[in-house]
Amino acid sequence: MGLFDKLAGWLGLKKEVNVLCLGLDNSGKTTIINKLKPCNAQAQDIVPTIGFSIEKFKTSSLSFTVFDMSGQGRYRNLWEHYYKEGQAIIFVIDSADKLRMVVAKEELDTLLNHPDIKHRRIPILFFANKMDVRDALSSVKVSQLLCLENIKDKPWHICATDALKGEGLPEGVDWLQDQIKTIRT
Amino acid sequence: MSESSGNGGKWLDAHYDPVAGLFTFSPCVDLADLSGDGESRLVVGDLGSGSTGMKLKVFRGTALLSESTLLDLPAGLVAFFMDLHEPRIPAVAVASGPCVYVYKNLRPYFKFTLPGLEVNSLEQDVWQQAREGQIDPLTLKEMLESIRKKADVPLSMRSLRFLSLETDDMDDFVQLHKQQPIRRQTVITCIGTLKKSTADDDGVSCLVIGTESSDVYVLDPEAFVILSKMSLPAAPTMMDVTGQFDVEFRITVACRDGNIYVLRRELDKPKYCIKLSSHPVGLVRVGKNVMVGCTDESLQGFTQKGKKLWRTVLAAPITTMAAMDLPTRGFQAVLVGLANCEVQLYRDKNLLSTIKTPDVVTSICFGRYGREDGTLIMTTKGGGLMVKILKRTAVFDDRDGAPGPPLAQSVRLNVPKKTKLYVDQTLRERENGLAMHRAFQMDLSRMRLTAAKAYVKALESSLAPVSSSISEPLKMNAVVQGLGPSFKLTLNVQNTAACRPATNLAISFLYDEGLYRMRNPYMRIPLLVPGLVYPVETSVECTSDKGISDIIKVFVLHEGRSCPLLTAHINMPVSEGEMLN
Ligand SMILES: Nc1nc2c(ncn2[C@@H]2O[C@H](COP(=O)(O)OP(=O)(O)OP(=O)(O)O)[C@@H](O)[C@H]2O)c(=O)[nH]1
Ligand SMILES: [Mg+2]
């Protein structure tokens, strides 16, 4: 960390990062982001997102601005308009929805082949969410089904999460924070 | 991206279980949100082996969620809202035999049995006698036999069974059954739903059932009493219902006589009849039209009034048909399962895409499954279950030769913008149209006059190359050949009189002697026989090398007259050759 960063840290100024939160509807994107906010700022009711919403939360050294996109089919064409701004991607998968794993894969492939993403070394964090649900797929199985091993030119990481309890989230966010720092310095 | 499976790149393969053990057909498959959590389940009436193992199965995602035994073979299954209770959870109605079993929350809730049919009174009397021991089984058999042959009202199941028995078994059968009253029961052949009074997606629906006795009943959703009964000329096999019971509805029924009938509200007989050339095997309504698949491997389209729109021939026999309706995209089409392991998608008569399947498909259902609106569910002959999801980006275009305006016709031409000048001119023309027209007519008349005057003058002074004088009508044209400085001049003279020869004519030339030299500037012309063309040749030499040219005038003269008969002006070409001397 450079001197400026340290200084900024002492002063409470943090680096701003734009993160896109993508994934099918009902995968738990809003629930995850809500859980990452400080306790007093967390919403109680979570309803399906319409269009998208902008949320902010902070980690030890970064200030995240998250574009929480709606995953509903009719809003998914909005995603690509924010690819340029995004400096990192959080891709949430409902590990219990085996039937729609192909749809998640299709949307991921479309994302990875988009001209605004394809040639950038943008870090992607996968949350294999809803691991608490009985017969949910393991994160290994999810990464197999999504063929994540084929992503060679971008740093990625997958963690199994339970957004209701917040389990697995810190691990993922730490990884993302490290990635962003290595890219920046 | 697995496009290898023959989906035409439009479908995602979500699930395929070739040994799901599901044996069913399209009327026994439905999709409904049975738990009210926004996630649709798949409800299947499984035929089992056909005699055992009939089950009502419910799937969630890729997993079997529950199954319960059915007592009889299911003929059809529908999910419908029977009340207004919250949360809005639909009930499931399974038609089998003479009954409709209604399940709520997947538990048996109500059983509706069709009313019994009229029993033959003679048959009743005969059994009465048998009960009282007045006749022995053999006499009973004889009497029933004779009733069967001539009666209008058919025999009951019991009598028919009795007639099929061996003599030894008859006694026991009579002993066993003679105390019970005779009943004649029909069975359900098809089932559908009809919205009661609102068109809402979660509006309360009536059940509509078709029976072997050629009747169609509409049942009240709450009390399960018969609201309406309609009769058909033959037993129905498939039906489509649209509209609302309290407002206006239309029941399209394919019947076993190979016809399709359309029933309307307040009519107990069919309103329209579509006569098919072969038996229908699939019936799907798309908007206001009906699409029918027939045993002759054809797909046909009809209007709701029975007018035939088109017919298209398929590659193989049809195994099943279903509608593909995607209201969010405004897309409606028909899925046709074929015996050659293909499922084809048709919009009207146009084939939009083909899905290749590993086995022959026996049932198709398209709709919202789980959270995905465009899900295609198919079961196969071997008992497999296949789920495909329509890609979000899939588009279907019919690239066919359908009649209609060519595409180019709708391409807008790049017409340039109207300039200020153009607009001003148009305005001026509009305002002064009359004056402009008059001025034009005036100028035109003037020009005509000037032209006529010049013509008359030319004629009077014989300046024209045609002479119209009555005594010597002549015509002449001149041809100049050569590049210069020597030119050959040919004058073709013709007497245009009907039969009078022309005599005593001569030709003379007038030219600038500083420019041209002519061998003989005066020539006599022989007698001209009418009609023949006489070429008169001479040569001209250009004496100037300055590249200039002039006119040579030719006169045709008559001896003893000073005025020429005709005149021609020859525009000499510029001499391009070098002077030799
Ligand atoms: N059991 C379980 N349920 C979860 C978990 N995460 C989210 N959910 C539930 O999943 C549902 C959908 O969550 P949302 O956060 O609204 O999903 P989303 O991805 O934002 O959906 P859209 O906004 O429609 O794209 C909610 O009912 C959550 O309570 C989890 O880890 N476990
Ligand atoms: Mg959301």
Side-chain angles (χ1 to χ4, degrees):
Chain A
M1 226 199 271
L3 181 67
F4 179 77
D5 284 346
K6 274 187 192 151
L7 206 66
W10 293 330
L11 293 173
L13 297 173
K14 290 179 181 177
K15 251 187 213 168
E16 296 265 347
V17 208
N18 289 337
V19 180
L20 302 182
C21 189
L22 309 173
L24 302 189
D25 49 299
N26 199 51
S27 54
K29 299 179 290 297
T30 310
T31 315
I32 288 177
I33 294 163
N34 189 50
K35 208 75 190 176
L36 293 173
K37 293 204 270 190
C39 276
N40 53 8
Q42 284 181 13
Q44 288 311 306
D45 287 340
I46 285 171
V47 292
T49 312
I50 307 291
F52 70 98
S53 75
I54 295 177
E55 306 290 338
K56 288 185 197 271
F57 70 88
K58 287 179 179 151
T59 60
S60 58
S61 63
L62 293 174
S63 165
F64 285 92
T65 304
V66 187
F67 292 77
D68 176 16
M69 308 301 297
S70 169
Q72 288 173 50
R74 61 183 156 195
Y75 295 121
R76 274 180 227 157
N77 53 0
L78 288 181
W79 294 4
E80 60 181 21
H81 299 291
Y82 300 88
Y83 289 172
K84 271 211 179 77
E85 278 113 282
Q87 292 155 292
I89 291 174
I90 297 176
F91 198 96
V92 184
I93 302 120
D94 178 350
S95 341
D97 192 352
K98 287 176 215 158
L99 193 74
R100 292 208 301 166
M101 214 46 87
V102 271
V103 185
K105 178 175 175 352
E106 173 78 8
E107 296 297 351
L108 175 65
D109 289 341
T110 315
L111 162 77
L112 293 174
N113 285 313
H114 193 274
D116 289 347
I117 297 289
K118 196 170 174 135
H119 302 293
R120 289 169 58 197
R121 261 190 75 82
I122 180 170
I124 309 179
L125 172 60
F126 292 94
F127 280 134
N129 194 32
K130 304 204 186 180
M131 65 168 182
D132 56 301
V133 176
R134 203 169 55 90
D135 57 45
L137 298 169
S138 68
S139 60
V140 176
K141 190 77 195 154
V142 170
S143 72
Q144 259 173 24
L145 288 173
L146 298 185
C147 303
L148 298 187
E149 73 277 5
N150 292 344
I151 308 177
K152 300 258 159 54
D153 56 350
K154 293 176 182 51
W156 62 268
H157 183 74
I158 185 165
C159 357
T161 57
D162 171 355
L164 297 184
K165 292 201 201 75
E167 281 168 32
L169 297 181
E171 178 202 331
V173 175
D174 285 348
W175 176 85
L176 197 62
Q177 182 172 299
D178 288 348
Q179 286 301 318
I180 292 166
K181 278 198 242 159
T182 53
I183 285 182
R184 287 223 157 170
T185 49
Chain B
M1 282 173 234
S2 58
E3 284 170 21
S4 51
S5 46
N7 291 336
K10 301 199 165 48
W11 301 91
L12 299 169
D13 294 308
H15 179 61
Y16 177 46
D17 179 1
V19 288
L22 264 186
F23 300 92
T24 190
F25 61 128
S26 296
C28 280
V29 184
D30 206 355
L31 291 164
D33 181 3
L34 291 184
S35 52
D37 59 0
E39 239 183 86
S40 284
R41 310 287 149 89
L42 171 66
V43 198
V44 183
D46 189 341
L47 305 178
S49 68
S51 50
T52 57
M54 292 83 80
K55 285 198 170 101
L56 176 66
K57 293 183 174 171
V58 180
F59 287 82
R60 171 174 192 260
T62 56
L64 179 65
L65 195 69
S66 84
E67 59 179 11
S68 42
T69 305
L70 292 175
L71 295 175
D72 208 343
L73 267 186
L77 172 157
V78 286
F80 71 113
F81 288 101
M82 54 182 286
D83 50 39
L84 290 166
H85 298 170
E86 294 284 344
R88 308 291 291 134
I89 292 178
V92 175
V94 183
S96 60
C99 305
V100 178
Y101 299 90
V102 179
Y103 292 80
K104 256 184 124 175
N105 293 315
L106 292 178
R107 271 189 285 276
Y109 172 77
F110 188 80
K111 175 179 156 187
F112 167 83
T113 308
L114 282 172
L117 299 176
E118 180 196 351
V119 178
N120 191 315
S121 54
L122 285 174
E123 181 190 0
Q124 227 152 4
D125 291 347
V126 175
W127 276 97
Q128 172 78 22
Q129 288 171 13
R131 184 162 73 219
E132 288 160 5
Q134 291 167 355
I135 50 174
D136 61 0
L138 273 177
T139 332
L140 176 66
K141 180 174 177 170
E142 258 170 48
M143 293 172 89
L144 286 175
E145 207 71 83
S146 67
I147 296 170
R148 185 169 80 114
K149 285 203 181 93
K150 50 181 194 278
D152 312 328
V153 181
L155 291 181
S156 67
M157 256 335 258
R158 184 210 294 186
S159 303
L160 292 173
R161 284 264 293 287
F162 175 72
L163 289 180
S164 69
L165 292 176
E166 297 292 320
T167 322
D168 301 344
D169 304 328
M170 281 194 215
D171 219 14
D172 291 344
F173 188 85
V174 174
Q175 291 310 320
L176 190 67
H177 292 280
K178 67 179 184 187
Q179 295 305 330
Q180 283 124 28
I182 299 174
R183 279 222 211 86
R184 206 158 65 83
Q185 200 49 281
T186 184
V187 293
I188 299 173
T189 54
C190 51
I191 185 164
T193 59
L194 169 60
K195 290 268 146 57
K196 182 82 177 22
S197 49
T198 63
D200 302 349
D201 278 344
D202 64 350
V204 170
S205 292
C206 307
L207 291 178
V208 183
I209 50 185
T211 68
E212 192 62 50
S213 56
S214 309
D215 292 317
V216 170
Y217 295 94
V218 180
L219 304 185
D220 181 82
E222 258 159 321
F224 289 101
V225 292
I226 293 167
L227 293 176
S228 169
K229 179 187 170 188
M230 291 161 272
S231 302
L232 291 165
T237 56
M238 290 170 285
M239 70 178 164
D240 175 87
V241 190
T242 163
Q244 292 133 52
F245 181 76
D246 292 337
V247 187
E248 175 61 59
F249 64 83
R250 187 181 287 268
I251 306 175
T252 312
V253 207
C255 288
R256 213 165 278 150
D257 60 357
N259 293 341
I260 289 175
Y261 298 96
V262 181
L263 297 162
R264 300 275 300 267
R265 186 181 144 87
E266 273 160 14
L267 291 173
D268 56 359
K269 287 268 175 321
K271 170 106 171 142
Y272 305 107
C273 168
I274 303 172
K275 287 199 161 58
L276 299 169
S277 51
S278 64
H279 277 266
V281 288
L283 173 79
V284 171
R285 184 179 44 83
V286 178
K288 290 198 160 175
N289 295 340
V290 190
M291 289 173 83
V292 186
C294 291
T295 46
D296 61 355
E297 301 179 17
S298 72
L299 191 65
Q300 308 183 18
F302 297 92
T303 65
Q304 56 182 356
K305 292 197 172 152
K307 188 169 160 275
K308 185 164 172 176
L309 296 171
W310 47 263
R311 175 177 190 274
T312 185
V313 178
L314 303 166
I318 299 173
T319 53
T320 187
M321 279 171 63
M324 174 167 163
D325 195 355
L326 253 177
T328 48
R329 296 200 210 172
F331 180 85
Q332 281 190 315
V334 173
L335 290 153
V336 185
L338 300 179
N340 64 353
C341 294
E342 281 185 355
V343 174
Q344 300 191 321
L345 181 65
Y346 281 88
R347 181 158 54 198
D348 289 338
K349 64 170 188 282
N350 308 319
L351 176 63
L352 298 182
S353 87
T354 301
I355 301 169
K356 295 227 174 353
T357 53
D359 190 3
V360 177
V361 163
T362 55
S363 86
I364 301 177
C365 184
F366 181 89
R368 181 180 169 88
Y369 184 42
R371 304 192 148 262
E372 205 61 45
D373 282 330
T375 309
L376 172 62
I377 293 167
M378 299 177 279
T379 65
T380 64
K381 209 171 170 184
L385 171 65
M386 209 182 308
V387 182
K388 288 180 189 283
I389 295 176
L390 187 66
K391 281 192 190 174
R392 180 167 63 86
T393 49
V395 275
F396 295 101
D397 46 344
D398 23 356
R399 46 189 140 31
D400 72 310
L407 255 173
Q409 190 172 309
S410 52
V411 175
R412 286 183 67 90
L413 292 176
N414 185 18
V415 181
K417 281 239 155 57
K418 286 175 189 147
T419 60
K420 171 132 187 352
L421 183 67
Y422 173 84
V423 174
D424 288 351
Q425 289 285 17
T426 326
L427 271 181
R428 197 169 70 85
E429 276 170 29
R430 204 180 294 159
E431 280 161 13
N432 307 317
L434 200 64
M436 286 167 91
H437 181 69
R438 280 203 190 119
F440 171 75
Q441 287 296 333
M442 171 80 87
D443 287 349
L444 184 65
S445 309
R446 283 221 179 101
M447 193 182 77
R448 279 184 181 148
L449 179 64
T450 315
K453 272 184 186 161
Y455 186 57
V456 167
K457 190 172 164 238
L459 283 182
E460 276 171 355
S461 53
S462 302
L463 284 172
V466 178
S467 151
S468 54
S469 80
I470 304 159
S471 53
E472 251 92 28
L474 290 179
K475 211 173 97 178
M476 182 177 73
N477 71 50
V479 181
V480 186
Q481 288 167 309
L483 296 170
S486 291
F487 297 98
K488 183 172 154 191
L489 195 62
T490 311
L491 303 165
N492 294 309
V493 189
Q494 190 184 9
N495 177 2
T496 55
C499 53
R500 213 149 55 94
T503 51
N504 295 332
L505 300 179
I507 288 180
S508 117
F509 298 93
L510 185 67
Y511 55 92
D512 183 346
E513 292 185 6
L515 271 178
Y516 296 107
R517 190 164 48 212
M518 207 165 241
R519 199 155 28 126
N520 36 0
Y522 177 82
M523 288 182 286
R524 296 189 65 86
I525 303 180
L527 179 138
L528 297 180
V529 174
L532 294 183
V533 176
Y534 289 83
V536 181
E537 293 176 1
T538 183
S539 69
V540 184
E541 211 162 305
C542 180
T543 53
S544 156
D545 55 358
K546 295 199 179 69
I548 45 174
S549 66
D550 196 19
I551 291 174
I552 295 180
K553 291 180 181 167
V554 187
F555 302 103
V556 178
L557 307 163
H558 195 274
E559 258 171 44
R561 272 195 239 164
S562 60
C563 189
L565 285 172
L566 51 87
T567 313
H569 291 198
I570 304 168
N571 283 311
M572 290 303 288
V574 175
S575 163
E576 290 177 42
E578 286 292 304
M579 286 287 275
L580 287 174
N581 41 359

